[in-house]
Amino acid sequence: MLTIGICGASGCGKTTLAEELAKRIKGCAVLLNQDAYYRDHPHLTFAEREKLNYDEPGIFEHDLFYEDIRSLIAGQPIRRKAYDFANHRRADTDIMIEPADALIVEGIHVFYDSRVRDLLDFKIYIRVDPDICLLRRVQRDILERERSVEGVAAQYLNTVKPMFERWIRNYIDYADLIVAGGGKNQRIVDILAFYINHGMGNPPKEMPI
């Protein structure tokens, strides 16, 4: 199984790139979103859950994420994890994910755990201007996650930006490839798919859009 990790700031286009790449890889590819592995906090009220820092590494179940990746690599199916962003609660499903020819994992802290990094054959970091990431995040959180503009702005200033500066920006050092500009450019998807499908090794270190 080929394993690919995609990391970068919130709103940089990780999911978009992962989904497009999954369509272009020869054979069957499955996608794991790290966002589905947020820790659950059923003992907290909604107001208390809202105040949690959802951008720091410890908010994720890294052990479970690692074990699920390892299970798929070993040829064992896993249950699909999910997260309810409107209520800040885990919403795991009974849907089974079967092993495939390729596994793509994406998230802001995908490169945090050295155990996960060691399982990845190819690591991609998406580098995007922070202002663009903020605009994308505002649009996504309002339309898809039922958040208010005020809430998104407060979260960005209190947790998103500080955690990017402390952690996420430094994950670029682990990357085999840096994609500059975002994950929506079809040309980048074409190039990545070509290298992967033809077994040509790693493409150039940095790909501008």
Side-chain angles (χ1 to χ4, degrees), residues 10-28:
S10 177
C12 72
K14 298 181 298 297
T15 303
T16 299
L17 179 60
E19 291 175 346
E20 290 301 313
L21 194 56
K23 297 174 185 176
R24 298 292 305 278
I25 294 177
K26 289 181 180 178
C28 180

Side-chain angles (χ1 to χ4, degrees), residues 1 30 38 77-78 82 109 112 126 128 134 147 153 168:
M1 174 185 284
V30 295
Y38 277 118
I78 64 169
H109 290 295
Y112 170 78
I126 302 180
V128 178
L134 173 58
R147 307 279 174 78
I168 301 166

